[in-house]
Amino acid sequence: MRAGTRRTTAARARASAGPGRAASAVAGCLGIALAGALLTGCGPGDDEPETVRFTFSKREAIGFMTGVVDDYNASQDDVEVVLDTSGVDVVSASFVRGNPPDLMLANYNMEVSRFVERCTLSDLSDTEAAGGVREDLQPLMDQYGRCAGRTSALPYSVMASAVIYNKEIFAAHDLEVPRTWSELLDVADTLQDAGVTPFYGTFKDDWTVGQGWFDYAVGGQVDTLGFFDRLAAEGTDVGPGSATSFQQDLAEPLARMTELTTTYVNDDAASRAYGDGNLAFAQGKAAMYLQGPWALGEIAKTSPDLDVGTFPLPMTEDPDDLKVRVNVDLAAMIPQGAAHPEAARDFLEHLYRPEIIEAYNESQLGFTPTADAPPPSDPRIEGMTRYYDAGQVYQGASVLVPKTIPVFSYAQAIVLDEDPAPWLRSLDADWARLAMRQ
Amino acid sequence: MTTTTATPTGGDRLVRRRARRVEPVYYLFLLPSLVLFTLAITVPGIIGIFFSFTNSIGIGDWELVGLTNYVAALSDPAIVQSYLFTFGFSLVTVLVVNVVAFGLAVGLTSRIRMKVGLRAVFVIPMVVSGIIIAYVFNFLFSNSLPAAGQALGIGFLETSLLANPDLAWTAIVVVTAWQAIPGALLIYIAGLLAIPGDVYEAADIDGAGRTQRLTRITLPLMTGYVAINVILGFKNFLNAYDIIVGLTGGGPGTATRSIAMTIISGFNGGDYAYQMANATIFFVVAVLIAVAQLTMTRGRSAL
């Protein structure tokens, strides 16, 4: 009915022709699109294979995933998996239209977790894949919110990040990987005295400050999980008087961060961006670089043979506090409103077959979240394996703050202003205001 | 219509009555744009205003929350700051654009060489997309200008303007003005060319000097054009988005976040209803400004 009336409007618009012709053509398409949306309920005939729409938009891995999908389609005739790489915004829009994909493999973050919190994803707890996932990752998933009684998403790829360091520079100055805060300062001083820039800062891109400096500094000193639980409990009370707040709990950790960013980075850090940083680090212009494994591929483009390694940023005097930052780079989800949930589950199990999930993570420098998977063999991320295996991990504080609070901008301002206090007060006020609204 | 004054009473009434009756075909001409405007602007606008009274995040269930979003928005320093920034930035940019464009227009309509070629050169920035301009200037401000500052020993230029929370807005004004000047320039040139030559001749005979000719003849006769440029420019600058995104991304910190940028953040941040409230406030403010500008300029110039 609705599509019908829209179509007559469009037809009327088209009849009036003249200068509005292009516009009325648009209106016509709109009418047809609406009519089309009503028809999507019709399934294919019995003989045709069932179509599973599978969304996946991690650019670096589209080639790999296309191969997996093609092999699967060739191996059987019942299901035809269609890879949709159009990105997270399109997926969000399809939820709004009531036409979600059958299977999603997406970065697990505050944006995707909205689907979890509003219970728009189906329960995966009875799948074989769910049984194989490491249990200690569940708290990390739950941190983004959950739908009671359901396993809404399964981790597929976990990325660990820490300090990337130039092994050649470290060897040239007889330096060991620091394990405590004072050792870190010693290393930085030694490098600086020798005329080497200890850290390369790219403060122009605010996200690099957020995911690197801010997250490592907080995660290395604060129990991130507990901190955000307590913050959530305080809700609208978060502020100068509350037991837990950004200004009380993060002031000290961030003071150490600004100590590093004011003293030990390149002079032009404020006007350097992510791309500049990759290039400079690859050219050996600094000894350490606070980035995730995604930067390793970029660095290798400039200097394929550069010997680099990784270590967690030590922020305390206790080596037992060393932890690496992790994020669930990919998680698998099947929407409640999926048109072909059974076929999607079959393909999900296929994706979790050891040879596929392990090959995927090996190729992307990620950690496989299944219990019996071997660690990645790439020597560049070897330095983080020990901590990941022991569960000495945290999720970045900057990604756990809801996106509506511009925490990356605040992190950048803290580094540029060299004074965390006013920005932490803003974070508290924003947090309380958000709690009031939601 | 103007001829009616010449014809006596009986004919006058006839003409007027005929003029009042509108041909129905004109309504048909109006229809396509009316339908499209309603579907694409009015309806979504009303839906948006409705959702500003809910707690919707764009998907799933929602409930009415009354004025909560408005109360929160008006006390949100990030939103208040984005209004202050946007209005300050728009005022300064309007001023810069119109002063420079007016000066250029006077120069380019006087008797100089290469007039046509120079006009073309000055209009080029108008045809380049804002985001491209912003990225090119981003490179200049981050790399070239600091290098020049170092070479010449000018202290405050040695670090990027874009990284300085107190000065980043000046870079945005410069780039926005660079793009906006041609539009204003064209309107001013058209205005200057429309001033009849005999007024200047009369002024010459009365012994007016160059400055007097500019302040007593040109400027008063141009007020209508100045008003158009100021109103259009101010309206455009209030919506500033692409150049800021390309230059600073709202940074450093939150120093250069415009109203449009905060509203957009509601879509990818899952804060749909809240930013709809912000957008509604912005809409009301924009309407008030438009009404104020129209009443102020209506008396003085023939708009």
Side-chain angles (χ1 to χ4, degrees):
Chain A
M1 265 299 278
R2 230 174 91 222
T5 48
R6 287 281 163 82
R7 211 141 48 149
T8 39
T9 319
R12 223 180 302 144
R14 202 180 302 145
S16 57
R21 182 175 266 171
S24 58
V26 172
C29 293
L30 202 76
I32 291 162
L34 281 168
L38 289 182
L39 293 175
T40 45
C42 314
D46 285 343
D47 298 337
E48 285 173 49
E50 220 177 322
T51 308
V52 168
R53 191 157 69 89
F54 167 43
T55 57
F56 176 81
S57 56
K58 186 180 165 71
R59 245 184 309 150
E60 302 89 336
I62 284 175
F64 182 96
M65 210 41 90
T66 309
V68 172
V69 168
D70 288 347
D71 290 347
Y72 185 74
N73 286 339
S75 71
Q76 42 76 41
D77 296 326
D78 300 333
V79 176
E80 166 91 17
V81 177
V82 179
L83 187 64
D84 178 349
T85 58
S86 44
V88 67
D89 292 337
V90 178
V91 173
S92 300
S94 71
F95 269 90
V96 179
R97 286 197 303 263
N99 179 29
D102 296 313
L103 174 64
M104 301 156 64
L105 202 53
N107 186 254
Y108 202 63
N109 54 28
M110 277 291 177
E111 194 170 2
V112 171
S113 68
R114 286 184 288 162
F115 304 132
V116 177
E117 278 203 307
R118 305 257 162 158
C119 289
T120 55
L121 300 171
S122 66
D123 184 22
L124 298 175
S125 56
D126 55 342
T127 56
E128 237 174 89
V133 170
R134 268 174 57 159
E135 274 173 23
D136 58 345
L137 291 174
Q138 199 51 46
L140 299 183
M141 302 291 287
D142 289 346
Q143 251 185 314
Y144 286 108
R146 67 193 135 189
C147 173
R150 281 191 204 173
T151 306
S152 301
L154 299 177
Y156 192 76
S157 173
V158 175
M159 287 272 176
S161 43
V163 182
I164 299 173
Y165 73 107
N166 186 325
K167 285 187 178 171
E168 292 160 20
I169 295 181
F170 267 55
H173 296 88
D174 275 337
L175 292 170
E176 298 271 322
V177 166
R179 294 172 53 76
T180 63
W181 170 249
S182 36
E183 283 176 27
L184 178 72
L185 294 187
D186 286 344
V187 165
D189 282 329
T190 313
L191 287 166
Q192 203 156 42
D193 292 344
V196 179
T197 306
F199 292 97
Y200 203 88
T202 54
F203 303 155
K204 187 178 166 194
D205 277 336
D206 56 5
W207 69 269
T208 70
V209 184
Q211 82 80 35
W213 296 95
F214 184 82
D215 282 358
Y216 295 0
V218 173
Q221 297 171 80
V222 178
D223 166 25
T224 318
L225 222 109
F227 172 65
F228 277 94
D229 281 348
R230 292 199 304 275
L231 265 186
E234 294 275 358
T236 51
D237 294 331
V238 168
S242 64
T244 304
S245 68
F246 288 98
Q247 47 188 315
Q248 281 158 44
D249 295 52
L250 300 194
E252 292 280 313
L254 292 179
R256 290 206 159 166
M257 173 184 89
T258 46
E259 190 179 340
L260 293 180
T261 56
T262 46
T263 325
Y264 300 110
V265 298
N266 44 315
D267 292 336
D268 55 357
S271 52
R272 297 293 96 185
Y274 173 59
D276 304 321
N278 292 337
L279 183 66
F281 186 78
Q283 290 169 341
K285 287 187 182 159
M288 292 175 276
Y289 188 39
L290 271 55
Q291 269 297 346
W294 46 83
L296 292 171
E298 302 297 313
I299 292 164
K301 281 181 191 164
T302 311
S303 308
D305 301 324
L306 190 71
D307 195 7
V308 298
T310 41
F311 65 84
L313 187 70
M315 295 301 292
T316 68
E317 294 304 330
D318 186 355
D320 288 341
D321 285 343
L322 288 173
K323 286 182 195 158
V324 293
R325 176 190 190 273
V326 293
N327 67 303
V328 180
D329 196 54
L330 288 180
M333 291 156 275
I334 297 182
Q336 189 86 27
H340 308 284
E342 288 309 316
R345 277 165 166 257
D346 288 345
F347 183 62
L348 173 89
E349 303 284 14
H350 176 76
L351 284 177
Y352 273 85
R353 283 165 64 171
E355 65 269 26
I356 292 177
I357 190 171
E358 283 163 21
Y360 171 82
N361 281 295
E362 183 70 35
S363 72
Q364 300 299 318
L365 302 177
F367 288 84
T368 309
T370 48
D372 43 5
S377 62
D378 194 294
R380 291 175 293 180
I381 53 174
E382 212 177 12
M384 299 187 287
T385 308
R386 182 149 59 101
Y387 303 97
Y388 175 80
D389 284 345
Q392 287 171 287
V393 296
Y394 58 86
Q395 252 174 159
S398 69
V399 292
L400 293 171
V401 176
K403 262 188 162 180
T404 157
I405 300 174
V407 63
F408 285 163
S409 303
Y410 291 163
Q412 183 190 40
I414 290 171
V415 165
L416 293 178
D417 281 5
E418 301 164 13
D419 178 18
W423 301 101
L424 292 177
R425 277 199 297 276
S426 299
L427 267 171
D428 282 339
D430 286 356
W431 184 277
R433 223 179 346 263
L434 187 64
M436 182 184 94
R437 298 203 311 272
Q438 288 183 342
Chain B
M1 280 275 279
T2 45
T3 52
T4 50
T5 42
T7 46
T9 48
D12 186 308
R13 215 177 295 146
L14 193 85
V15 170
R16 228 180 253 167
R17 198 177 300 152
R18 194 176 293 159
R20 213 171 278 163
R21 212 190 304 128
V22 181
E23 285 280 344
V25 72
Y26 290 132
Y27 290 116
L28 202 64
F29 287 155
L30 268 179
L31 197 67
S33 32
L34 199 66
V35 167
L36 284 174
F37 187 85
T38 312
L39 281 181
I41 310 269
T42 317
V43 171
I46 290 170
I47 294 174
I49 292 173
F50 170 75
F51 273 107
S52 71
F53 298 104
T54 71
N55 66 350
S56 168
I57 56 168
I59 52 157
D61 303 331
W62 48 264
E63 51 194 61
L64 286 168
V65 294
L67 289 172
T68 312
N69 286 328
Y70 289 89
V71 174
L74 290 173
S75 65
D76 188 338
I79 289 182
V80 173
Q81 201 212 337
S82 75
Y83 276 81
L84 292 179
F85 165 75
T86 310
F87 279 94
F89 153 80
S90 303
L91 280 175
V92 174
T93 316
V94 156
L95 213 70
V96 171
V97 165
N98 284 285
V99 169
V100 175
F102 193 88
L104 277 177
V106 171
L108 290 174
T109 47
S110 57
R111 263 177 272 144
I112 55 165
R113 284 180 193 207
M114 304 255 301
K115 204 158 55 179
V116 180
L118 279 175
R119 275 186 205 170
V121 168
F122 281 113
V123 170
I124 285 175
M126 197 167 82
V127 296
V128 185
S129 141
I131 195 80
I132 294 173
I133 292 175
Y135 280 126
V136 171
F137 272 93
N138 188 336
F139 184 86
L140 292 178
F141 282 123
S142 302
N143 300 298
S144 312
L145 207 58
Q150 246 156 21
L152 299 172
I154 307 171
F156 81 102
L157 279 183
E158 281 175 24
T159 50
S160 168
L161 272 184
L162 300 178
N164 185 332
D166 300 325
L167 291 176
W169 67 274
T170 58
I172 296 173
V173 168
V174 168
V175 179
T176 310
W178 191 76
Q179 193 199 22
I181 285 170
L185 175 67
L186 288 183
I187 292 178
Y188 281 139
I189 288 181
L192 288 172
L193 293 178
I195 299 177
D198 42 6
V199 212
Y200 289 109
E201 273 169 39
D204 276 341
I205 293 167
D206 290 345
R210 273 171 185 282
T211 354
Q212 274 181 317
R213 272 169 49 172
L214 184 69
T215 53
R216 298 279 173 84
I217 309 281
T218 314
L219 269 177
L221 285 174
M222 290 289 285
T223 34
Y225 297 93
V226 175
I228 290 178
N229 270 335
V230 168
I231 291 176
L232 287 184
F234 195 72
K235 177 205 140 289
N236 284 337
F237 302 143
L238 281 185
N239 290 329
Y241 184 75
D242 51 352
I243 286 182
I244 304 182
V245 168
L247 270 184
T248 63
T254 53
T256 58
R257 263 160 75 107
S258 73
I259 303 172
M261 289 173 75
T262 48
I263 292 175
I264 295 274
S265 74
F267 289 97
N268 40 32
D271 216 359
Y272 177 72
Y274 181 55
Q275 291 303 343
M276 275 302 123
N278 184 10
T280 309
I281 296 171
F282 186 38
F283 172 68
V284 172
V285 170
V287 167
L288 290 180
I289 292 172
V291 170
Q293 278 180 330
L294 283 177
T295 40
M296 275 194 321
T297 49
R298 188 165 289 157
R300 250 172 288 164
S301 57
L303 264 181

